Short mmCIF file of all heavy atoms in Angstrom, two decimals:
data_model
loop_
_atom_site.label_atom_id
_atom_site.label_comp_id
_atom_site.label_asym_id
_atom_site.label_seq_id
_atom_site.Cartn_x
_atom_site.Cartn_y
_atom_site.Cartn_z
N MET R 1 -34.51 -7.71 75.65
CA MET R 1 -35.53 -7.00 74.88
C MET R 1 -35.53 -7.50 73.43
O MET R 1 -34.92 -6.89 72.55
CB MET R 1 -35.25 -5.50 74.90
CG MET R 1 -35.27 -4.89 76.29
SD MET R 1 -36.92 -4.88 77.03
CE MET R 1 -37.62 -3.48 76.19
N PRO R 2 -36.16 -8.61 73.15
CA PRO R 2 -36.17 -9.14 71.77
C PRO R 2 -36.88 -8.22 70.79
O PRO R 2 -36.61 -8.26 69.60
CB PRO R 2 -36.90 -10.48 71.89
CG PRO R 2 -37.72 -10.35 73.15
CD PRO R 2 -36.94 -9.45 74.06
N VAL R 3 -37.79 -7.37 71.29
CA VAL R 3 -38.50 -6.47 70.38
C VAL R 3 -37.53 -5.47 69.77
O VAL R 3 -37.57 -5.17 68.58
CB VAL R 3 -39.63 -5.75 71.13
CG1 VAL R 3 -40.33 -4.77 70.20
CG2 VAL R 3 -40.62 -6.76 71.70
N LEU R 4 -36.61 -4.96 70.59
CA LEU R 4 -35.64 -4.00 70.08
C LEU R 4 -34.74 -4.64 69.03
O LEU R 4 -34.39 -4.04 68.02
CB LEU R 4 -34.80 -3.46 71.23
CG LEU R 4 -35.51 -2.45 72.13
CD1 LEU R 4 -34.58 -1.99 73.25
CD2 LEU R 4 -35.99 -1.25 71.33
N LEU R 5 -34.35 -5.92 69.29
CA LEU R 5 -33.52 -6.63 68.32
C LEU R 5 -34.28 -6.80 67.00
O LEU R 5 -33.70 -6.67 65.92
CB LEU R 5 -33.11 -7.99 68.87
CG LEU R 5 -32.09 -7.92 70.02
CD1 LEU R 5 -31.81 -9.33 70.54
CD2 LEU R 5 -30.81 -7.26 69.57
N LEU R 6 -35.57 -7.09 67.10
CA LEU R 6 -36.38 -7.26 65.89
C LEU R 6 -36.45 -5.96 65.10
O LEU R 6 -36.26 -5.94 63.88
CB LEU R 6 -37.78 -7.73 66.27
CG LEU R 6 -38.70 -8.04 65.08
CD1 LEU R 6 -38.12 -9.18 64.25
CD2 LEU R 6 -40.09 -8.39 65.56
N ILE R 7 -36.67 -4.86 65.82
CA ILE R 7 -36.74 -3.56 65.15
C ILE R 7 -35.39 -3.22 64.52
O ILE R 7 -35.32 -2.72 63.40
CB ILE R 7 -37.15 -2.48 66.17
CG1 ILE R 7 -38.60 -2.72 66.63
CG2 ILE R 7 -37.01 -1.09 65.56
CD1 ILE R 7 -39.05 -1.75 67.70
N LEU R 8 -34.32 -3.54 65.24
CA LEU R 8 -32.99 -3.26 64.71
C LEU R 8 -32.74 -4.07 63.44
O LEU R 8 -32.19 -3.56 62.45
CB LEU R 8 -31.94 -3.59 65.78
CG LEU R 8 -30.50 -3.21 65.39
CD1 LEU R 8 -30.38 -1.70 65.25
CD2 LEU R 8 -29.53 -3.71 66.45
N ALA R 9 -33.14 -5.34 63.46
CA ALA R 9 -32.94 -6.20 62.28
C ALA R 9 -33.73 -5.66 61.09
O ALA R 9 -33.23 -5.61 59.97
CB ALA R 9 -33.37 -7.63 62.60
N ILE R 10 -34.97 -5.24 61.34
CA ILE R 10 -35.79 -4.69 60.25
C ILE R 10 -35.16 -3.40 59.71
O ILE R 10 -35.11 -3.16 58.52
CB ILE R 10 -37.23 -4.44 60.75
CG1 ILE R 10 -37.91 -5.78 61.06
CG2 ILE R 10 -38.03 -3.65 59.71
CD1 ILE R 10 -39.31 -5.61 61.66
N GLY R 11 -34.64 -2.59 60.64
CA GLY R 11 -34.01 -1.35 60.23
C GLY R 11 -32.80 -1.59 59.35
O GLY R 11 -32.61 -0.94 58.33
N VAL R 12 -31.97 -2.57 59.71
CA VAL R 12 -30.80 -2.90 58.90
C VAL R 12 -31.23 -3.42 57.54
O VAL R 12 -30.65 -3.07 56.50
CB VAL R 12 -29.93 -3.95 59.63
CG1 VAL R 12 -28.84 -4.46 58.70
CG2 VAL R 12 -29.32 -3.34 60.89
N PHE R 13 -32.27 -4.25 57.52
CA PHE R 13 -32.75 -4.80 56.25
C PHE R 13 -33.23 -3.68 55.33
O PHE R 13 -32.90 -3.64 54.14
CB PHE R 13 -33.89 -5.79 56.52
CG PHE R 13 -34.48 -6.37 55.27
CD1 PHE R 13 -33.82 -7.40 54.60
CD2 PHE R 13 -35.67 -5.89 54.76
CE1 PHE R 13 -34.35 -7.93 53.44
CE2 PHE R 13 -36.21 -6.42 53.60
CZ PHE R 13 -35.55 -7.45 52.94
N VAL R 14 -34.01 -2.75 55.88
CA VAL R 14 -34.52 -1.63 55.08
C VAL R 14 -33.37 -0.76 54.59
O VAL R 14 -33.34 -0.31 53.45
CB VAL R 14 -35.53 -0.80 55.91
CG1 VAL R 14 -35.91 0.48 55.17
CG2 VAL R 14 -36.77 -1.64 56.21
N TRP R 15 -32.38 -0.56 55.47
CA TRP R 15 -31.24 0.28 55.09
C TRP R 15 -30.47 -0.35 53.94
O TRP R 15 -30.08 0.31 52.98
CB TRP R 15 -30.33 0.48 56.30
CG TRP R 15 -29.15 1.34 55.98
CD1 TRP R 15 -29.13 2.71 55.86
CD2 TRP R 15 -27.82 0.90 55.71
NE1 TRP R 15 -27.86 3.13 55.54
CE2 TRP R 15 -27.04 2.05 55.44
CE3 TRP R 15 -27.20 -0.35 55.67
CZ2 TRP R 15 -25.69 1.96 55.14
CZ3 TRP R 15 -25.86 -0.43 55.36
CH2 TRP R 15 -25.12 0.72 55.11
N LEU R 16 -30.27 -1.67 54.01
CA LEU R 16 -29.56 -2.36 52.94
C LEU R 16 -30.36 -2.27 51.64
O LEU R 16 -29.81 -2.09 50.55
CB LEU R 16 -29.33 -3.82 53.32
CG LEU R 16 -28.26 -4.04 54.39
CD1 LEU R 16 -28.21 -5.52 54.78
CD2 LEU R 16 -26.90 -3.58 53.90
N TRP R 17 -31.68 -2.40 51.76
CA TRP R 17 -32.53 -2.35 50.56
C TRP R 17 -32.45 -0.97 49.92
O TRP R 17 -32.31 -0.83 48.71
CB TRP R 17 -33.96 -2.70 50.94
CG TRP R 17 -34.90 -2.63 49.77
CD1 TRP R 17 -34.94 -3.50 48.71
CD2 TRP R 17 -35.91 -1.65 49.54
NE1 TRP R 17 -35.92 -3.10 47.85
CE2 TRP R 17 -36.54 -1.99 48.32
CE3 TRP R 17 -36.34 -0.53 50.25
CZ2 TRP R 17 -37.58 -1.23 47.81
CZ3 TRP R 17 -37.38 0.22 49.71
CH2 TRP R 17 -37.99 -0.13 48.52
N LEU R 18 -32.50 0.07 50.76
CA LEU R 18 -32.42 1.43 50.24
C LEU R 18 -31.05 1.68 49.62
O LEU R 18 -30.94 2.31 48.57
CB LEU R 18 -32.69 2.43 51.36
CG LEU R 18 -34.15 2.50 51.82
CD1 LEU R 18 -34.27 3.47 52.99
CD2 LEU R 18 -35.06 2.92 50.68
N ALA R 19 -29.99 1.19 50.26
CA ALA R 19 -28.64 1.40 49.75
C ALA R 19 -28.48 0.70 48.40
O ALA R 19 -27.87 1.23 47.48
CB ALA R 19 -27.62 0.88 50.74
N ARG R 20 -29.04 -0.52 48.30
CA ARG R 20 -28.91 -1.24 47.03
C ARG R 20 -29.70 -0.53 45.93
O ARG R 20 -29.25 -0.42 44.81
CB ARG R 20 -29.44 -2.68 47.21
CG ARG R 20 -29.19 -3.56 46.01
CD ARG R 20 -29.64 -4.97 46.29
NE ARG R 20 -28.97 -5.51 47.48
CZ ARG R 20 -29.30 -6.67 48.04
NH1 ARG R 20 -30.26 -7.40 47.54
NH2 ARG R 20 -28.65 -7.09 49.10
N ARG R 21 -30.91 -0.05 46.29
CA ARG R 21 -31.71 0.65 45.30
C ARG R 21 -31.03 1.94 44.88
O ARG R 21 -31.06 2.34 43.73
CB ARG R 21 -33.10 0.95 45.88
CG ARG R 21 -34.07 1.40 44.81
CD ARG R 21 -35.43 1.69 45.39
NE ARG R 21 -35.39 2.82 46.31
CZ ARG R 21 -36.48 3.40 46.80
NH1 ARG R 21 -37.66 2.93 46.52
NH2 ARG R 21 -36.38 4.43 47.61
N GLY R 22 -30.37 2.62 45.84
CA GLY R 22 -29.68 3.86 45.52
C GLY R 22 -28.49 3.63 44.61
O GLY R 22 -28.22 4.43 43.73
N SER R 23 -27.78 2.51 44.81
CA SER R 23 -26.61 2.25 43.99
C SER R 23 -27.01 2.02 42.55
O SER R 23 -26.28 2.37 41.63
CB SER R 23 -25.86 1.03 44.53
OG SER R 23 -26.65 -0.13 44.42
N THR R 24 -28.19 1.43 42.34
CA THR R 24 -28.62 1.20 40.96
C THR R 24 -29.03 2.52 40.31
O THR R 24 -28.85 2.70 39.13
CB THR R 24 -29.81 0.22 40.93
OG1 THR R 24 -30.83 0.75 41.75
CG2 THR R 24 -29.40 -1.14 41.42
N LEU R 25 -29.54 3.44 41.11
CA LEU R 25 -29.97 4.71 40.55
C LEU R 25 -28.77 5.55 40.14
O LEU R 25 -28.84 6.29 39.18
CB LEU R 25 -30.81 5.47 41.58
CG LEU R 25 -32.24 4.98 41.74
CD1 LEU R 25 -32.95 5.77 42.83
CD2 LEU R 25 -33.00 5.10 40.43
N THR R 26 -27.67 5.42 40.87
CA THR R 26 -26.51 6.26 40.57
C THR R 26 -25.84 5.84 39.28
O THR R 26 -24.97 6.53 38.79
CB THR R 26 -25.50 6.19 41.72
OG1 THR R 26 -25.23 4.83 42.01
CG2 THR R 26 -26.03 6.91 42.95
N ARG R 27 -26.23 4.68 38.74
CA ARG R 27 -25.65 4.29 37.45
C ARG R 27 -26.09 5.27 36.35
O ARG R 27 -25.38 5.49 35.40
CB ARG R 27 -26.09 2.87 37.08
CG ARG R 27 -25.42 1.82 37.95
CD ARG R 27 -25.86 0.43 37.53
NE ARG R 27 -25.25 -0.60 38.38
CZ ARG R 27 -25.50 -1.89 38.26
NH1 ARG R 27 -26.35 -2.30 37.34
NH2 ARG R 27 -24.92 -2.75 39.05
N LEU R 28 -27.29 5.79 36.52
CA LEU R 28 -27.78 6.76 35.55
C LEU R 28 -27.44 8.15 36.04
O LEU R 28 -28.18 8.76 36.79
CB LEU R 28 -29.30 6.61 35.38
CG LEU R 28 -29.74 5.25 34.85
CD1 LEU R 28 -31.25 5.18 34.81
CD2 LEU R 28 -29.16 4.97 33.47
N CYS R 29 -26.29 8.62 35.62
CA CYS R 29 -25.84 9.91 36.10
C CYS R 29 -26.55 11.03 35.36
O CYS R 29 -26.87 10.91 34.18
CB CYS R 29 -24.33 10.04 35.90
SG CYS R 29 -23.41 9.19 37.18
N ARG R 30 -26.80 12.07 36.10
CA ARG R 30 -27.44 13.23 35.50
C ARG R 30 -26.47 14.41 35.55
O ARG R 30 -26.42 15.14 36.53
CB ARG R 30 -28.72 13.57 36.27
CG ARG R 30 -29.76 12.46 36.18
CD ARG R 30 -30.96 12.80 37.05
NE ARG R 30 -32.02 11.81 36.90
CZ ARG R 30 -32.98 11.88 35.99
NH1 ARG R 30 -33.00 12.91 35.17
NH2 ARG R 30 -33.91 10.97 35.92
N TRP R 31 -25.71 14.55 34.49
CA TRP R 31 -24.76 15.65 34.42
C TRP R 31 -25.49 16.93 34.02
O TRP R 31 -26.25 16.96 33.07
CB TRP R 31 -23.68 15.33 33.39
CG TRP R 31 -22.74 14.28 33.84
CD1 TRP R 31 -22.76 12.97 33.48
CD2 TRP R 31 -21.64 14.43 34.74
NE1 TRP R 31 -21.74 12.30 34.11
CE2 TRP R 31 -21.05 13.16 34.88
CE3 TRP R 31 -21.12 15.51 35.45
CZ2 TRP R 31 -19.92 12.97 35.71
CZ3 TRP R 31 -20.02 15.31 36.25
CH2 TRP R 31 -19.44 14.04 36.38
N ARG R 32 -25.19 17.98 34.75
CA ARG R 32 -25.78 19.27 34.43
C ARG R 32 -24.70 20.33 34.48
O ARG R 32 -23.92 20.39 35.42
CB ARG R 32 -26.89 19.60 35.43
CG ARG R 32 -28.09 18.66 35.29
CD ARG R 32 -29.10 18.93 36.37
NE ARG R 32 -30.26 18.01 36.26
CZ ARG R 32 -31.24 17.94 37.13
NH1 ARG R 32 -31.21 18.72 38.19
NH2 ARG R 32 -32.22 17.11 36.97
N GLU R 33 -24.70 21.18 33.47
CA GLU R 33 -23.69 22.22 33.41
C GLU R 33 -24.03 23.33 34.39
O GLU R 33 -25.16 23.79 34.45
CB GLU R 33 -23.61 22.78 31.98
CG GLU R 33 -22.45 23.76 31.81
CD GLU R 33 -22.31 24.20 30.37
OE1 GLU R 33 -23.20 23.89 29.56
OE2 GLU R 33 -21.31 24.88 30.07
N ASP R 34 -23.03 23.71 35.15
CA ASP R 34 -23.21 24.77 36.13
C ASP R 34 -22.45 26.00 35.64
O ASP R 34 -21.25 26.14 35.86
CB ASP R 34 -22.69 24.32 37.49
CG ASP R 34 -23.16 25.24 38.60
OD1 ASP R 34 -23.73 26.30 38.27
OD2 ASP R 34 -22.97 24.91 39.77
N ARG R 35 -23.18 26.87 34.97
CA ARG R 35 -22.53 28.05 34.39
C ARG R 35 -22.17 29.09 35.46
O ARG R 35 -21.42 30.02 35.19
CB ARG R 35 -23.43 28.69 33.34
CG ARG R 35 -23.65 27.77 32.14
CD ARG R 35 -24.53 28.44 31.10
NE ARG R 35 -24.75 27.54 29.95
CZ ARG R 35 -23.92 27.48 28.92
NH1 ARG R 35 -22.86 28.25 28.89
NH2 ARG R 35 -24.16 26.66 27.92
N ARG R 36 -22.73 28.93 36.63
CA ARG R 36 -22.38 29.88 37.69
C ARG R 36 -20.94 29.70 38.14
O ARG R 36 -20.26 30.64 38.53
CB ARG R 36 -23.32 29.71 38.87
CG ARG R 36 -24.75 30.12 38.55
CD ARG R 36 -25.66 29.80 39.70
NE ARG R 36 -25.64 28.37 39.99
CZ ARG R 36 -26.30 27.81 40.99
NH1 ARG R 36 -27.01 28.55 41.80
NH2 ARG R 36 -26.25 26.51 41.18
N VAL R 37 -20.47 28.43 38.09
CA VAL R 37 -19.09 28.16 38.48
C VAL R 37 -18.14 28.53 37.35
O VAL R 37 -17.10 29.16 37.56
CB VAL R 37 -18.94 26.67 38.85
CG1 VAL R 37 -17.49 26.36 39.25
CG2 VAL R 37 -19.89 26.32 39.99
N GLY R 38 -18.50 28.16 36.13
CA GLY R 38 -17.65 28.47 34.99
C GLY R 38 -18.11 27.70 33.78
O GLY R 38 -18.84 26.72 33.89
N PRO R 39 -17.67 28.12 32.59
CA PRO R 39 -18.07 27.42 31.36
C PRO R 39 -17.46 26.03 31.29
O PRO R 39 -16.28 25.84 31.58
CB PRO R 39 -17.50 28.32 30.25
CG PRO R 39 -16.41 29.10 30.91
CD PRO R 39 -16.81 29.26 32.35
N GLY R 40 -18.29 25.06 30.94
CA GLY R 40 -17.80 23.69 30.82
C GLY R 40 -17.72 22.97 32.15
O GLY R 40 -17.19 21.86 32.21
N HIS R 41 -18.24 23.58 33.19
CA HIS R 41 -18.20 22.93 34.49
C HIS R 41 -19.48 22.13 34.69
O HIS R 41 -20.56 22.69 34.73
CB HIS R 41 -18.05 23.97 35.60
CG HIS R 41 -17.88 23.38 36.97
ND1 HIS R 41 -16.66 23.24 37.57
CD2 HIS R 41 -18.78 22.86 37.82
CE1 HIS R 41 -16.83 22.67 38.75
NE2 HIS R 41 -18.11 22.43 38.93
N PHE R 42 -19.31 20.80 34.79
CA PHE R 42 -20.46 19.92 34.94
C PHE R 42 -20.48 19.32 36.34
O PHE R 42 -19.43 19.02 36.94
CB PHE R 42 -20.41 18.78 33.91
CG PHE R 42 -20.75 19.26 32.52
CD1 PHE R 42 -19.77 19.79 31.70
CD2 PHE R 42 -22.04 19.16 32.06
CE1 PHE R 42 -20.08 20.23 30.42
CE2 PHE R 42 -22.37 19.59 30.77
CZ PHE R 42 -21.38 20.12 29.96
N ARG R 43 -21.69 19.12 36.83
CA ARG R 43 -21.87 18.47 38.12
C ARG R 43 -22.90 17.36 37.96
O ARG R 43 -23.95 17.55 37.36
CB ARG R 43 -22.36 19.47 39.17
CG ARG R 43 -22.85 18.80 40.45
CD ARG R 43 -23.41 19.81 41.41
NE ARG R 43 -22.35 20.56 42.09
CZ ARG R 43 -21.80 20.16 43.23
NH1 ARG R 43 -22.19 19.05 43.82
NH2 ARG R 43 -20.86 20.88 43.81
N CYS R 44 -22.58 16.18 38.50
CA CYS R 44 -23.50 15.06 38.45
C CYS R 44 -24.50 15.19 39.60
O CYS R 44 -24.10 15.21 40.75
CB CYS R 44 -22.73 13.75 38.55
SG CYS R 44 -23.82 12.31 38.56
N ALA R 45 -25.77 15.25 39.23
CA ALA R 45 -26.80 15.40 40.24
C ALA R 45 -27.03 14.11 41.00
O ALA R 45 -27.66 14.11 42.05
CB ALA R 45 -28.10 15.87 39.58
N ALA R 46 -26.55 13.01 40.46
CA ALA R 46 -26.79 11.71 41.10
C ALA R 46 -25.76 11.42 42.18
O ALA R 46 -26.10 10.97 43.26
CB ALA R 46 -26.79 10.60 40.06
N CYS R 47 -24.49 11.68 41.89
CA CYS R 47 -23.44 11.30 42.85
C CYS R 47 -22.63 12.51 43.30
O CYS R 47 -21.82 12.39 44.19
CB CYS R 47 -22.51 10.26 42.23
SG CYS R 47 -21.57 10.87 40.85
N GLY R 48 -22.85 13.68 42.69
CA GLY R 48 -22.16 14.88 43.13
C GLY R 48 -20.77 15.06 42.54
O GLY R 48 -20.05 15.95 42.96
N ALA R 49 -20.40 14.23 41.56
CA ALA R 49 -19.08 14.36 40.94
C ALA R 49 -19.04 15.62 40.08
O ALA R 49 -20.06 16.06 39.55
CB ALA R 49 -18.78 13.14 40.10
N GLU R 50 -17.85 16.20 39.96
CA GLU R 50 -17.69 17.39 39.16
C GLU R 50 -16.55 17.21 38.18
O GLU R 50 -15.59 16.48 38.46
CB GLU R 50 -17.39 18.59 40.06
CG GLU R 50 -18.52 18.90 41.03
CD GLU R 50 -18.19 20.13 41.86
OE1 GLU R 50 -17.55 21.05 41.34
OE2 GLU R 50 -18.57 20.15 43.05
N CYS R 51 -16.65 17.87 37.03
CA CYS R 51 -15.57 17.82 36.06
C CYS R 51 -15.68 19.04 35.16
O CYS R 51 -16.73 19.64 35.04
CB CYS R 51 -15.59 16.54 35.24
SG CYS R 51 -17.00 16.42 34.13
N ILE R 52 -14.55 19.39 34.55
CA ILE R 52 -14.50 20.54 33.64
C ILE R 52 -14.09 20.01 32.27
O ILE R 52 -13.07 19.33 32.14
CB ILE R 52 -13.50 21.59 34.15
CG1 ILE R 52 -13.94 22.09 35.54
CG2 ILE R 52 -13.41 22.74 33.16
CD1 ILE R 52 -12.96 23.09 36.14
N LEU R 53 -14.90 20.32 31.27
CA LEU R 53 -14.66 19.82 29.91
C LEU R 53 -14.57 21.00 28.95
O LEU R 53 -15.10 22.08 29.23
CB LEU R 53 -15.79 18.88 29.49
CG LEU R 53 -15.90 17.57 30.27
CD1 LEU R 53 -17.11 16.78 29.78
CD2 LEU R 53 -14.64 16.75 30.12
N PRO R 54 -13.91 20.77 27.82
CA PRO R 54 -13.87 21.82 26.79
C PRO R 54 -15.27 22.09 26.27
O PRO R 54 -16.17 21.24 26.38
CB PRO R 54 -12.99 21.20 25.69
CG PRO R 54 -12.21 20.12 26.38
CD PRO R 54 -13.09 19.62 27.47
N PRO R 55 -15.48 23.29 25.70
CA PRO R 55 -16.81 23.64 25.19
C PRO R 55 -17.28 22.65 24.14
O PRO R 55 -16.51 22.19 23.30
CB PRO R 55 -16.59 25.03 24.57
CG PRO R 55 -15.39 25.56 25.26
CD PRO R 55 -14.52 24.37 25.57
N GLY R 56 -18.55 22.29 24.20
CA GLY R 56 -19.14 21.40 23.22
C GLY R 56 -19.11 19.94 23.64
O GLY R 56 -19.69 19.10 22.96
N GLN R 57 -18.42 19.63 24.74
CA GLN R 57 -18.35 18.24 25.18
C GLN R 57 -19.22 18.02 26.41
O GLN R 57 -19.39 18.92 27.23
CB GLN R 57 -16.91 17.84 25.50
CG GLN R 57 -16.03 17.78 24.27
CD GLN R 57 -14.70 17.09 24.55
OE1 GLN R 57 -14.54 16.46 25.58
NE2 GLN R 57 -13.76 17.22 23.64
N VAL R 58 -19.74 16.82 26.50
CA VAL R 58 -20.61 16.46 27.61
C VAL R 58 -20.05 15.20 28.26
O VAL R 58 -19.69 14.25 27.56
CB VAL R 58 -22.05 16.21 27.12
CG1 VAL R 58 -22.94 15.77 28.27
CG2 VAL R 58 -22.60 17.47 26.47
N PRO R 59 -19.95 15.18 29.57
CA PRO R 59 -19.45 13.98 30.25
C PRO R 59 -20.38 12.79 30.02
O PRO R 59 -21.60 12.93 30.00
CB PRO R 59 -19.44 14.38 31.73
CG PRO R 59 -20.35 15.55 31.82
CD PRO R 59 -20.28 16.25 30.51
N ARG R 60 -19.80 11.62 29.80
CA ARG R 60 -20.59 10.44 29.48
C ARG R 60 -20.54 9.40 30.60
O ARG R 60 -21.34 8.47 30.61
CB ARG R 60 -20.07 9.79 28.19
CG ARG R 60 -20.20 10.70 26.98
CD ARG R 60 -19.55 10.08 25.76
NE ARG R 60 -19.66 10.94 24.59
CZ ARG R 60 -20.69 10.90 23.74
NH1 ARG R 60 -21.67 10.06 23.97
NH2 ARG R 60 -20.73 11.70 22.71
N HIS R 61 -19.58 9.51 31.46
CA HIS R 61 -19.44 8.48 32.49
C HIS R 61 -19.51 9.09 33.88
O HIS R 61 -19.20 10.27 34.06
CB HIS R 61 -18.10 7.74 32.32
CG HIS R 61 -17.94 7.12 30.97
ND1 HIS R 61 -18.62 5.99 30.59
CD2 HIS R 61 -17.21 7.50 29.92
CE1 HIS R 61 -18.28 5.68 29.35
NE2 HIS R 61 -17.42 6.59 28.91
N CYS R 62 -19.87 8.25 34.80
CA CYS R 62 -19.94 8.70 36.18
C CYS R 62 -18.55 8.65 36.81
O CYS R 62 -17.79 7.71 36.58
CB CYS R 62 -20.89 7.82 36.98
SG CYS R 62 -21.06 8.33 38.70
N LEU R 63 -18.22 9.67 37.57
CA LEU R 63 -16.90 9.73 38.21
C LEU R 63 -16.97 9.25 39.65
O LEU R 63 -16.05 9.47 40.43
CB LEU R 63 -16.36 11.15 38.16
CG LEU R 63 -16.19 11.73 36.75
CD1 LEU R 63 -15.74 13.17 36.82
CD2 LEU R 63 -15.20 10.90 35.94
N ARG R 64 -18.05 8.62 39.98
CA ARG R 64 -18.24 8.22 41.36
C ARG R 64 -17.21 7.17 41.77
O ARG R 64 -16.64 7.24 42.84
CB ARG R 64 -19.66 7.65 41.53
CG ARG R 64 -20.00 7.25 42.94
CD ARG R 64 -21.49 7.02 43.05
NE ARG R 64 -21.86 6.54 44.37
CZ ARG R 64 -22.05 5.26 44.66
NH1 ARG R 64 -21.88 4.36 43.73
NH2 ARG R 64 -22.37 4.89 45.87
N ASP R 65 -16.98 6.19 40.88
CA ASP R 65 -16.03 5.13 41.20
C ASP R 65 -14.59 5.62 41.11
O ASP R 65 -13.70 5.13 41.78
CB ASP R 65 -16.23 3.95 40.26
CG ASP R 65 -17.58 3.31 40.49
OD1 ASP R 65 -18.11 3.44 41.61
OD2 ASP R 65 -18.11 2.69 39.55
N ALA R 66 -14.36 6.62 40.24
CA ALA R 66 -13.00 7.11 40.05
C ALA R 66 -12.53 7.88 41.28
O ALA R 66 -11.35 7.90 41.60
CB ALA R 66 -12.94 7.99 38.81
N GLY R 67 -13.48 8.55 41.94
CA GLY R 67 -13.07 9.34 43.10
C GLY R 67 -12.92 8.42 44.26
O GLY R 67 -12.34 8.67 45.25
ZN1 LIG W 1 -22.45 10.31 38.80
#
């Protein structure tokens, strides 16, 4: 069934393209403070990383690679 192989190849290509595009998007992290959890608790909306910082500080780097 060469048609299935062709569809599979296209699917892999699209998946790789989406994964590459997603990796570039995660470079721009969107940290948002979640006051429901606690003061100074930030969550990255891009990669889901979490961290707790002292009041007045904002996370500047993505923790995706660190985890
Ligand atoms: Zn992040």
Side-chain angles (χ1 to χ4, degrees):
M1 299 292 281
V3 178
L4 286 179
L5 289 177
L6 184 62
I7 293 176
L8 185 64
I10 293 176
V12 171
F13 178 79
V14 172
W15 181 77
L16 287 175
W17 179 70
L18 288 177
R20 187 176 303 172
R21 193 180 65 170
S23 64
T24 56
L25 283 178
T26 51
R27 289 181 181 178
L28 298 176
C29 280
R30 296 175 175 271
W31 288 101
R32 293 175 181 174
E33 187 175 9
D34 194 351
R35 295 181 181 273
R36 293 174 300 177
V37 179
H41 185 98
F42 286 86
R43 168 184 283 271
C44 177
C47 65
E50 297 182 35
C51 68
I52 299 177
L53 294 177
Q57 291 193 13
V58 177
R60 298 174 180 271
H61 303 286
C62 181
L63 300 176
R64 183 167 176 262
D65 294 334

